Amino acid sequence: MTTPKGQPPMPLIYVPAQGAPRQLFVLLHDDASSPEQLGQLAQSLKQAFPQSMVVLPYAPLRSADTAYHWFQQTGLTEENYVERVKTALPGLVALIQRLQRQYLLEGEHTALAGFGQGATIALEAVHTQLDLAGRVLAFSGCYARLPDMAPPATTLHFLHGEEDPVVPVEFMRETHEHLAELQGDATLDIASKVGHELHDALVRQAIYRLQTCVPLRSWKAALGELRNDPDAPDLSDLDPPSRTLH
């Protein structure tokens, strides 16, 4: 049985060696796990973004010394799954907002990353608070329920193993297509011969996405400015940059 067993441990927090943080990364572990699961991802983010603050919270419930859960697992069914996911969101959102206030960071400076159930929590959190984060990295995880709107201020990066037995890759393709129909800003990267794991190839691709992918909202804003400039060339026939990867 998953029980609170007192307050969870304090989050693991990494800050820049010098100066104030310019970005905030919040990494969310899978069910029945702990922040240590995301150590490789944390190190990769610190190396790629040396001025970032990386925070790895513990989920609030515990069933064993190293098995933390975002919500009650006993009696979990398809019927109560969505509601139970929602119970994990207020505490997490409050933590992120507290860190943003303390370090003078905003949603556009913030990225959430999660693996498995942690990815689900990250995806649902940015629908609860629309300005919470500018990016979500969803490793081997999906929505609790497909949304009826895309988050307007968040770029979603789905990173998935082609042979994932927990969350089938076809479901992720359908999710990506659904978001495209909603005019959402999302990418999908699939690693061949990879299962339900935080594989190094997916971590490298996540860093690449963060470093190179211009959010669709920024592209549209820039395009709008050009269209309002009488001296700018006619761009009416151009399509936005591709948001879908192989």
Side-chain angles (χ1 to χ4, degrees):
M1 181 177 180
T2 50
T3 62
K5 293 187 179 180
Q7 292 295 319
M10 295 295 292
L12 304 181
I13 299 178
Y14 300 94
V15 296
Q18 294 182 336
R22 297 177 183 173
Q23 301 99 14
L24 170 63
F25 290 96
V26 180
L27 313 188
L28 309 177
H29 61 78
D30 198 3
D31 180 53
S33 188
S34 67
E36 286 77 6
Q37 179 190 48
L38 304 175
Q40 176 196 4
L41 177 60
Q43 293 299 324
S44 296
L45 289 170
K46 287 166 55 184
Q47 183 176 0
F49 303 95
Q51 287 305 118
S52 68
M53 179 181 187
V54 182
V55 178
L56 298 87
Y58 288 80
L61 304 179
R62 179 163 63 94
S63 62
D65 289 342
T66 59
Y68 291 84
H69 311 265
W70 293 103
F71 48 86
Q72 180 61 252
Q73 302 296 304
T74 305
L76 185 63
T77 66
E78 291 185 5
E79 288 71 26
N80 61 27
Y81 178 61
V82 173
E83 289 304 316
R84 289 198 181 184
V85 168
K86 289 181 179 180
T87 65
L89 303 181
L92 176 63
V93 170
L95 169 65
I96 295 168
Q97 292 177 326
R98 185 164 63 248
L99 291 167
Q100 290 171 335
R101 289 193 300 269
Q102 182 176 353
Y103 292 94
L104 304 179
L105 298 170
E106 298 181 359
E108 63 182 317
H109 308 128
T110 304
L112 310 184
F115 174 67
Q117 206 170 85
T120 298
I121 298 298
L123 289 165
E124 297 292 344
V126 296
H127 282 267
T128 298
Q129 186 68 38
L130 296 181
D131 61 351
L132 187 66
R135 306 273 185 136
V136 168
L137 304 172
F139 293 90
S140 303
C142 59
Y143 281 100
R145 179 170 58 196
L146 285 178
D148 55 12
M149 65 167 284
T154 308
T155 301
L156 308 176
H157 300 296
F158 295 94
L159 303 118
H160 218 78
E162 186 177 34
E163 300 177 3
D164 191 326
V166 179
V167 183
V169 69
E170 285 306 317
F171 181 74
M172 299 314 302
R173 290 192 175 102
E174 292 172 3
T175 298
H176 186 255
E177 292 174 1
H178 176 74
L179 289 165
E181 292 172 355
L182 296 175
Q183 302 299 307
D185 191 5
T187 64
L188 172 61
D189 293 294
I190 299 170
S192 60
K193 300 180 181 179
V194 171
H196 190 76
E197 57 184 301
L198 195 58
H199 195 279
D200 183 60
L202 295 176
V203 172
R204 292 197 305 270
Q205 183 64 13
I207 300 298
Y208 174 79
R209 285 296 193 183
L210 290 171
Q211 292 176 330
T212 64
C213 184
V214 177
L216 181 62
R217 60 190 178 278
S218 299
W219 188 90
K220 285 183 175 179
L223 182 59
E225 291 178 3
L226 285 173
R227 284 175 170 162
N228 290 329
D229 183 351
D231 297 324
D234 182 13
L235 301 178
S236 59
D237 293 332
L238 292 182
D239 293 325
S242 174
R243 291 171 285 132
T244 307
L245 270 199
H246 37 74

